[in-house]
C-alpha cells in the first residue's frame, strides 16, 4: 500500500485534496527531478488494485461500468433522433468535456453521421480560455444550462465530471437528471470514493454533492445511473486536478466513446478485453512520453528561466494540440496566480480550428486573441531572448506553415523549441524545423499505437502533449518559487472549494485555528487589519468575488499569521522578497526563533 492509502494519512481529506508523499520536496527539485516526480505520480494512475483499499482504473467494476456506459452511448449513436450525450464540468473538467465532445462530433461527421455530443462548462465558452471559478459554485446555473441545452430531447445521457466529486454546478445537473429519469441517464465521473464526496450544504439547495452521489449509487444497481470513480492518488501539486484528474478524465471518456463509436459505426462488440486494451494503449502513451525525461526537463528548465527573468512562455500549436496548449496555459492563472501573459497559448486557425460553440471571443479582450495570426500581430515583435516558444505539431499538420512560423520566431529569439509527434512511417521525413530549434522533443509513435485508427493515435498524442505541457508549466512555476513543499502558495481563492483549500493550507503552515486563518485570509482579500462584523458575517460568495480582483492573497495572509504583522507590512515584505517560497521560508524561520 502507498503511504496515502493508509486510513490515518490526512484522514479528514478526500484523496483528491491530500498531499502526495512523493512530491513533498518538489519545491527544491531540479528540472530533471521535477519531471521524474511527475512521472512517478502519473504512474499511480495505472496502479493495480491488489492490496489497495480503493477502486482503481483497472478494477473489474470500473471496466464493467465503462462497458455499460459505452453501450448506452452506442445506442444513441445508432440513430435515435432527438438524443444527446452531454459532457459537463467546471474548469479543467469542462475544458476536457469540450475537447472530447468536439473530437467525437468530428469523428461522427467523418462517417456522415450527425453530431450527438455536446459540452457544458461553468462560465460558458469564456471559461475554456480563462479562469472563471465562481460559476462552479452555482448549482442552479448548472441545472438551467442543462435544461436549456436539452430542451425537446427525448433521451439524454449526461456525463457530469468533477474530479473531487465536489462542484455544485455538476451536483445541480445530476440532481436535475435524478428528477427526470424518463429523459436523463446520469453518469458521474470523478476520482474519490463516493463516501468522500463533498458534504457541505449548497446555498439555496436541498441536496449536497454527497446526497446526490448516494442517490446515484442506489440507481447503479439497475443501470439507471453510473459512477466512474477510480482512485488515482493525490496530485503532484496538492489539489491541482488539472494534472492527473484531467488526464484520467480524458482517458476514461475517450475509451468509452471510442468503444461506442466502433460499436455503432463499425459493428464491433464492446468487450471487456477491448476496453482493457484501450486503457493499456494510454498507459503505453504515458510511458512513450516519459521515456524522454531528459528532453522534457530541458523544456522545463528553459520555461523556468523565462519566468524567473520576467520573460514569457508561448505555446504555438496546430489542430487539437493547439487546444491542449490553450487549456494548459489558461490553468496557470488560478493555480499559480500567474498573469495571462506568463504562459500563453495560440492555435493555428484560431476559433475556427478550436470549434467552440460560441465562435470567436476575440472582442472579450487581449487574452482571447488565440490565433497564430494574432501571435504574429501582437506578440512576435515583442519577443526577446528571455522568452521561450514551443511549437507543438504532428507529421499530419501543415509542416510548411510550422517552418514558416519557426523562421519568423527564430529571427527574434533562440528560445525556440518543438514538440513533434511522428508515427513510424513519417519518422525519417526531412525536417528543416529541427535545425531552427534549440531542442526538439520528438515523440515516435510505433505503428501499433492507436491500432484502431488515426483518431485513437491523435488522442494519445493529445494526452502526451498534455503531460509535457503540464510538466513545463508546473515545473516552470516550481522553479519560479510559486510552490511551497507541494502546495500551490499563490492560488486564487475564487470559489468555496479554493477558499477552504487556502484556509487549510494556512492552518497547516501557521498552526493557527481555522477561525484565525479565515480572518487572516479575509484581511488579505479586503486589504485591511480591521474586519467589521458585517464583513465577517457576509457570505462566502461575497468574499470569493472580492478575491477575484486581488493578487497574492494567500501569501499575504500567511505572512500576517506567521509574523503577526499588519497587511501593509506583509505587502512590503512580499515586495522585498518576490519569490513566494523564499518569503514563506523566511517567515517560517523567524516565527520559530525565540
Ligand atoms: C474543477 C476545478 C478544477 C481547477 C480548480 C478549481 O474541479 O475547476 O479544474 O483546477 O481546482 O476546480 P472538479 O470539479 O473537477 O473537482
Amino acid at each position: 500500500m502507498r503511504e496515502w492509502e493508509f486510513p490515518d494519512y490526512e484522514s479528514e481529506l478526500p484523496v483528491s485534496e491530500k498531499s502526495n508523499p512523493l512530491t513533498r520536496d518538489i519545491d527544491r527539485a531540479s528540472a530533471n527531478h521535477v519531471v521524474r516526480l511527475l512521472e512517478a505520480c502519473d504512474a499511480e494512475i495505472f496502479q493495480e488494485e491488489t492490496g489497495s483499499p480503493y477502486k482503481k482504473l483497472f478494477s473489474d467494476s470500473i471496466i464493467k461500468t465503462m462497458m455499460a456506459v459505452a453501450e448506452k452511448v452506442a445506442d444513441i449513436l445508432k440513430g435515435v433522433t432527438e438524443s444527446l450525450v452531454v459532457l459537463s464540468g467546471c474548469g479543467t473538467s469542462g475544458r476536457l468535456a469540450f475537447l472530447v465532445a468536439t473530437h467525437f462530433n468530428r469523428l461522427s461527421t467523418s462517417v456522415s453521421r450527425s453530431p450527438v455530443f455536446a459540452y457544458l462548462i461553468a462560465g460558458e465558452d469564456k471559461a475554456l480560455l480563462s479562469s472563471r471559478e465562481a460559476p462552479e459554485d452555482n448549482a442552479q446555473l448548472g441545472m438551467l444550462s442543462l435544461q436549456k441545452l436539452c430542451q425537446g430531447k427525448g433521451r439524454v445521457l449526461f456525463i457530469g465530471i468533477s474530479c473531487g466529486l465536489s462542484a455544485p454546478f455538476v451536483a445541480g445537473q445530476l440532481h436535475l437528471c435524478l428528477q427526470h429519469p424518463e429523459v436523463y441517464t446520469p453518469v458521474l465521473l470523478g476520482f474519490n470514493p463516493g463516501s468522500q464526496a463533498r458534504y457541505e450544504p449548497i446555498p439555496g439547495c436541498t441536496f449536497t454533492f454527497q446526497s446526490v452521489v448516494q442517490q446515484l449509487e442506489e440507481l447503479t444497481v439497475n443501470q439507471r445511473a453510473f459512477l466512474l470513480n477510480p482512485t488515482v492518488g493525490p496530485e503532484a501539486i496538492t489539489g491541482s486536478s488539472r494534472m492527473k484528474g484531467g488526464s484520467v478524465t480524458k482517458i476514461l471518456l475517450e475509451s468509452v466513446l471510442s468503444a461506442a463509436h466502433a460499436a455503432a459505426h463499425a459493428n464491433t462488440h464492446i468487450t471487456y478485453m477491448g476496453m482493457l486494451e484501450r486503457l493499456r494503449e494510454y498507459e503505453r502513451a504515458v510511458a512513450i512520453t516519459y521515456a524522454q525525461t531528459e528532453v522534457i526537463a530541458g523544456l522545463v528548465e528553459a520555461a523556468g528561466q523565462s519566468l524567473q527573468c520576467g520573460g514569457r512562455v508561448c505555446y504555438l500549436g496546430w489542430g487539437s494540440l493547439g487546444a491542449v496548449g490553450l487549456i494548459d496555459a489558461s490553468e496557470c492563472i488560478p493555480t499559480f496566480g500567474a498573469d495571462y501573459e506568463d504562459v500563453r497559448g495560440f492555435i493555428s486557425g484560431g476559433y475556427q480550428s478550436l470549434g467552440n460553440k460560441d465562435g470567436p471571443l476575440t472582442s472579450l479582450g487581449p487574452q482571447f486573441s488565440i490565433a497564430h495570426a494574432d501571435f504574429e500581430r501582437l506578440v512576435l515583435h515583442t519577443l526577446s531572448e528571455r522568452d521561450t516558444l514551443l511549437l507543438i505539431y504532428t507529421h499530419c499538420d501543415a509542416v510548411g506553415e510550422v517552418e514558416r512560423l519557426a523562421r519568423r520566431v527564430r529571427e527574434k529569439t533562440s528560445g525556440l523549441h518543438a514538440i513533434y509527434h511522428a508515427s513510424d512511417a513519417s519518422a525519417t521525413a526531412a525536417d528543416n524545423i529541427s535545425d531552427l530549434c534549440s531542442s526538439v522533443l520528438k515523440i515516435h509513435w510505433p505503428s501499433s499505437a492507436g491500432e484502431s485508427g488515426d483518431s485513437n493515435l491523435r488522442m494519445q498524442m493529445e494526452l502526451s502533449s498534455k503531460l509535457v505541457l503540464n510538466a513545463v508549466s508546473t515545473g516552470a512555476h516550481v522553479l519560479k518559487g510559486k510552490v511551497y513543499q507541494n502546495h500551490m502558495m499563490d492560488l486564487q481563492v475564487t470559489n468555496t472549494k479554493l477558499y477552504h483549500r487556502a484556509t487549510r493550507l494556512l492552518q497547516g503552515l501557521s498552526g493557527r485555528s481555522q477561525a484565525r486563518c479565515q480572518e487572516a485570509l479575509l484581511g488579505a482579500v479586503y486589504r485591511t487589519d480591521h474586519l467589521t462584523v458585517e464583513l465577517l458575517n457576509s457570505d462566502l460568495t461575497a468574499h470569493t468575488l472580492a478575491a477575484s480582483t486581488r493578487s497574492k492573497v494567500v501569501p499575504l495572509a500567511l505572512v500576517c499569521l506567521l509574523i503577526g504583522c499588519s497587511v501593509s507590512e506583509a505587502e512590503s515584505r512580499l515586495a522585498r522578497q518576490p519569490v513566494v517560497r523564499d518569503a514563506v521560508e523566511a517567515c517560517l524561520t523567524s516565527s520559530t526563533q525565540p
Side-chain angles (χ1 to χ4, degrees):
M1 248 172 44
R2 309 237 163 182
E3 195 179 333
W4 59 265
E5 289 177 300
F6 284 93
D8 54 352
Y9 183 83
E10 299 182 356
S11 55
E12 74 289 4
L13 296 177
V15 176
S16 61
E17 292 286 331
K18 290 185 198 288
S19 64
N20 198 317
L22 290 171
T23 53
R24 234 169 240 151
D25 299 323
I26 197 168
D27 59 338
R28 295 278 156 204
S30 64
N32 201 290
H33 195 201
V34 166
V35 181
R36 288 188 191 282
L37 290 173
L38 298 184
E39 177 182 15
C41 280
D42 281 336
E44 291 180 333
I45 295 174
F46 304 101
Q47 194 189 322
E48 301 287 339
E49 191 186 46
T50 331
S52 167
Y54 295 111
K55 252 187 310 186
K56 296 288 160 90
L57 188 60
F58 290 119
S59 294
D60 209 46
S61 63
I62 293 294
I63 309 261
K64 285 182 177 151
T65 307
M66 291 172 74
M67 290 167 65
V69 177
E71 292 286 0
K72 296 272 180 203
V73 176
D75 283 350
I76 290 182
L77 286 172
K78 274 180 206 153
V80 196
T81 49
E82 307 307 336
S83 302
L84 211 54
V85 178
V86 179
L87 312 180
S88 174
C90 309
T92 306
S93 301
R95 295 177 193 123
L96 289 163
F98 153 76
L99 194 71
V100 175
T102 37
H103 177 97
F104 281 92
N105 277 342
R106 282 176 184 144
L107 201 59
S108 297
T109 315
S110 73
V111 291
S112 315
R113 304 297 168 119
S114 355
V116 298
F117 298 98
Y119 68 89
L120 287 172
I121 176 166
E124 305 189 338
D125 270 8
K126 290 188 285 294
L128 293 174
L129 306 168
S130 62
S131 83
R132 314 258 142 179
E133 284 80 22
E136 298 183 13
D137 278 344
N138 196 331
Q140 277 84 8
L141 195 67
M143 286 190 247
L144 285 175
S145 61
L146 182 60
Q147 244 165 355
K148 189 170 157 211
L149 177 71
C150 298
Q151 222 156 35
K153 298 291 172 199
R155 267 174 69 195
V156 175
L157 183 78
F158 172 77
I159 307 185
I161 313 157
S162 180
C163 296
L165 304 189
S166 60
F169 182 85
V170 174
Q173 296 175 326
L174 291 167
H175 175 76
L176 177 77
C177 296
L178 291 166
Q179 305 299 104
H180 299 282
E182 69 291 356
V183 177
Y184 297 98
T185 304
V187 181
L188 169 59
L189 201 151
F191 308 107
N192 284 322
S195 58
Q196 295 182 2
R198 189 167 170 185
Y199 50 79
E200 191 185 330
I202 303 173
C205 297
T206 53
F207 54 87
T208 63
F209 210 113
Q210 174 97 194
S211 72
V212 170
V213 171
Q214 276 162 8
Q215 282 177 276
L216 289 175
E217 273 172 338
E218 284 162 24
L219 296 176
T220 57
V221 185
N222 299 324
Q223 300 213 327
R224 287 191 287 138
F226 301 90
L227 214 64
L228 269 174
N229 61 334
T231 300
V232 294
E235 295 288 353
I237 302 299
T238 309
S240 183
S241 54
R242 76 189 194 105
M243 304 183 79
K244 272 201 271 197
S247 301
V248 191
T249 297
K250 185 165 155 51
I251 292 172
L252 281 174
L253 288 175
E254 292 172 353
S255 300
V256 166
L257 301 192
S258 58
H261 179 87
H265 304 313
N267 271 329
T268 61
H269 290 292
I270 295 167
T271 64
Y272 191 94
M273 289 313 287
M275 198 57 89
L276 200 62
E277 185 44 33
R278 285 176 195 279
L279 295 178
R280 293 277 179 216
E281 276 193 1
Y282 284 102
E283 188 178 14
R284 283 192 289 272
V286 173
I288 287 173
T289 309
Y290 280 117
Q292 307 237 32
T293 307
E294 300 287 329
V295 193
I296 302 174
L299 297 177
V300 170
E301 185 70 51
Q305 296 259 339
S306 287
L307 293 191
Q308 285 172 80
C309 65
R312 292 156 294 180
V313 179
C314 288
Y315 304 148
L316 298 166
W318 273 260
S320 58
L321 302 189
V324 171
L326 286 167
I327 292 174
D328 183 88
S330 71
E331 293 157 347
C332 294
I333 302 163
T335 312
F336 301 111
D339 187 80
Y340 83 90
E341 287 199 277
D342 290 348
V343 181
R344 202 167 166 187
F346 295 92
I347 180 170
S348 154
Y351 287 95
Q352 206 180 2
S353 164
L354 190 66
N356 60 311
K357 61 184 169 207
D358 294 348
L361 304 173
T362 327
S363 61
L364 295 179
Q367 79 187 97
F368 293 91
S369 294
I370 57 164
H372 286 181
D374 297 320
F375 167 80
E376 290 187 71
R377 196 165 45 87
L378 303 167
V379 182
L380 188 72
H381 68 276
T382 68
L383 290 180
S384 76
E385 286 298 325
R386 290 187 306 176
D387 302 313
T388 297
L389 286 294
L390 267 178
L391 305 165
I392 314 154
Y393 66 107
T394 77
H395 60 278
C396 298
D397 293 312
V399 181
E401 177 52 26
V402 181
E403 188 179 333
R404 186 194 68 79
L405 195 56
R407 286 194 188 285
R408 290 208 69 192
V409 171
R410 197 65 183 76
E411 283 163 16
K412 292 284 177 188
T413 173
S414 60
L416 177 66
H417 306 258
I419 303 172
Y420 172 46
H421 296 274
S423 77
D424 264 356
S426 61
T428 51
D431 188 357
N432 303 329
I433 300 159
S434 305
D435 299 338
L436 296 164
C437 295
S438 298
S439 81
V440 179
L441 172 61
K442 195 165 185 173
I443 303 186
H444 282 182
W445 295 89
S447 34
S448 57
E451 229 152 33
S452 25
D454 288 351
S455 149
N456 283 13
L457 181 56
R458 182 91 201 172
M459 294 187 294
Q460 289 176 43
M461 290 171 171
E462 286 168 12
L463 178 68
S464 172
S465 305
K466 175 183 182 294
L467 297 178
V468 175
L469 297 186
N470 284 173
V472 167
S473 55
T474 303
H477 282 101
V478 167
L479 296 178
K480 192 183 176 187
K482 285 288 188 172
V483 168
Y484 178 71
Q485 292 168 349
N486 51 8
H487 300 284
M488 19 180 163
M489 275 307 306
D490 206 356
L491 74 155
Q492 290 191 343
V493 284
T494 37
N495 69 27
T496 50
K497 178 179 80 171
L498 301 172
Y499 182 89
H500 293 312
R501 186 184 290 164
T503 309
R504 273 200 310 274
L505 181 62
L506 294 173
Q507 282 179 262
L509 294 177
S510 72
R512 302 299 177 86
S513 69
Q514 186 186 46
R516 179 69 198 96
C517 291
Q518 285 187 348
E519 263 177 44
L521 196 59
L522 293 184
V525 169
Y526 295 104
R527 298 294 204 261
T528 175
D529 301 316
H530 307 287
L531 291 164
T532 59
V533 179
E534 199 191 349
L535 209 58
L536 282 168
N537 290 339
S538 54
D539 75 14
L540 224 54
T541 320
H543 303 324
T544 54
L545 197 69
S548 63
T549 58
R550 297 293 193 188
S551 63
K552 294 237 160 79
V553 168
V554 181
L556 271 177
L558 185 61
V559 172
C560 291
L561 284 166
L562 290 175
I563 306 285
C565 65
S566 66
V567 176
S568 59
E569 157 84 39
E571 275 184 300
S572 47
R573 270 184 180 256
L574 280 177
R576 287 199 301 272
Q577 190 100 289
V579 177
V580 177
R581 186 191 57 205
D582 296 346
V584 170
E585 273 188 343
C587 293
L588 278 169
T589 319
S590 58
S591 74
T592 52
Q593 273 163 9

